[in-house]
Amino acid sequence: MSDTQTTGLDRDSKAFKLGSVGASWLDERTSGASIVKGFARKIFPDHWSFMFGEVALYSFVVLIISGIFLTMFFVPSMNEVVYDGSYTALQGAHMSAAFNSTLHLSFDVWGGLLFRQIHHWAALTFMVAIFVHMFRVFFTGAFRKPRELNWLIGFGLMVLAMLAGFSGYSLPDDVLSGNGLRIADGVMKAIPILGTYMSMLMFGGEFPGHDIIPRLFTVHILIIPGAILALIALHMFFLVMHKHTQYPGPGRTDRNVVGYPLFPVYTAKAGGFFFIVFGVLTLVGATVAMNPVWNYGPYDPSPVSAGSQPDWYMLFLEGSLRLMPGWEPTIFGYPISLNIIIPGMVFPGIMFGTLALYPFIEQWVTGDDREHHVLDLPYNTPVRTGFGVAWIAAYLVSILAGANDLMAVAFHMSLNNLTWFFRIGIFAIPIISFIVTKRLCLSIQKHKKQLALHGVETGKVVRMENGETLEIHEPLSEYDRWVLVSYDNHRPLQKGEGVSSLRAKASSFFFKDRVEPATPAELREALEHSGHEEHKIKALIGS
């Protein structure tokens, strides 16, 4: 068979020769051929849960593309103008140039509203994908050595994405976004001594000032995207350097990666998946309305509409502010706004600070300093999984609390009763979630151990001649049995020899309740017993 038939390329064609000359010229000046070849042969494991990181990346690309289009028409100015555009309900109304340009984009620019919708939906998808990806990493222990730094980079990306979202939906200068800025102004002013000066600096004077929209515009289109791009590049660099984590299975160890090469397999899949994400976002943006600012009107500091909620990822802050009682003690004649400081700064600080530092906390508790490239199954780490579920529960409770007024109206319930329910729930529900999740994980571990030892119950029972009944089990394959018995079996650290009392207690909390994996002796005994029962059953039925 000829080379042309094998590769599908005509080596004598002008296009092939021109491409070869160009590639050689570039390689002689960059020495990039070896790098490209090595990168193309990089092996990546295949699992559906790894796709959430790709969804986040592709959503960010869509954000960049749609954002470039929107930037061409948006006017980041708070100068007052009179609207004379296509939307008749607001014609003659006084508004900022920012809000006027947003209406112009929505009603007078071909494709403007579609791009606004795509941009907003891409931002929401970006945040969802980041959160899901972060907790996939968390629950499977992919943050362990040597990936602690990459965990912090991912955490930084999540925080930057939240700031990008907040700065972005504040730009139209409508009533809803203005109320969000008013809350941010209140949180800043609650900081003792410095708060007022910080607010004046940010807004260029007394709220709302005339500088906040241009400043947010610079932050939104330049500073935060640049920082996100830098962190994404760093994140991908560490991903390649450390190699990708993989789920446990036969032949998969901390010293190898089982999967497919980047080129051509993942290159083709990634290209197709990007267009799927782009297509879905375009479809949703074209059919589902999002942030109709013309219904809210231009920002006016005097009215505050009911049912004003930010995007979902910032709603937890709104909820925590609503739940906090009106505590405002006075110290030396100065009021201390604990009703804002605690929910607006302390609560988010504890929530996100604990999440960022968890890899180091777990490493300190376990004393495990080994490199890990094989992931944990979540049920094999009950305390970590319980903590993650508790964190999510606290986040969801605060999100629901941010919509307590809407829930009270929709379900004809007392707003005060709902507020008290969430005040109690913000403490009780995470604790209950932790306990239930931990017990479920331990129960699953026991069940998996029984599966490894005895196989899958078939539901068939055989009665022997002597009256004995035997249940028929279908043994697991070697692959499935290996996955169930090969996981780290941490034990509590004992006080002494460099282990402090606090560390010993923390280790006991993590590992006191555990299920030991099936030992080789237990497996051998179970297999021998299973073989004996199978022999008796075959002898009875004559097979």
Side-chain angles (χ1 to χ4, degrees), residues 51-67:
M51 294 171 60
F52 293 110
E54 295 183 53
V55 173
L57 178 61
Y58 302 151
S59 299
F60 182 69
V61 173
V62 175
L63 282 170
I64 295 295
I65 296 171
S66 57

Side-chain angles (χ1 to χ4, degrees), residues 82-93 95 99-100 102-109 113 292-298:
V82 178
Y83 180 69
D84 62 352
S86 302
Y87 188 61
T88 56
L90 288 175
Q91 285 182 355
M95 60 186 64
F99 188 73
N100 180 72
T102 304
L103 294 180
H104 176 70
L105 252 170
S106 302
F107 295 107
D108 300 310
V109 175
L113 181 57
V293 295
W294 50 89
N295 288 339
Y296 311 138

Side-chain angles (χ1 to χ4, degrees), residues 206-220:
E206 189 66 33
F207 179 88
H210 290 86
D211 298 334
I212 186 62
I213 297 299
R215 289 173 179 176
L216 284 178
F217 184 71
T218 302
V219 168
H220 184 70

Side-chain angles (χ1 to χ4, degrees), residues 106 127 206-207 298 343 396 434 454 466 475 483:
S106 302
M127 284 306 309
E206 189 66 33
F207 179 88
L396 290 178
F434 175 83
H454 305 295
N466 60 359
V483 172

Side-chain angles (χ1 to χ4, degrees), residues 409-431:
V409 172
F411 299 109
H412 306 287
M413 301 174 68
S414 166
L415 180 62
N416 289 333
N417 290 343
L418 268 177
T419 301
W420 273 105
F421 171 78
F422 288 125
R423 282 177 177 173
I424 297 171
I426 197 68
F427 297 102
I429 293 177
I431 295 174

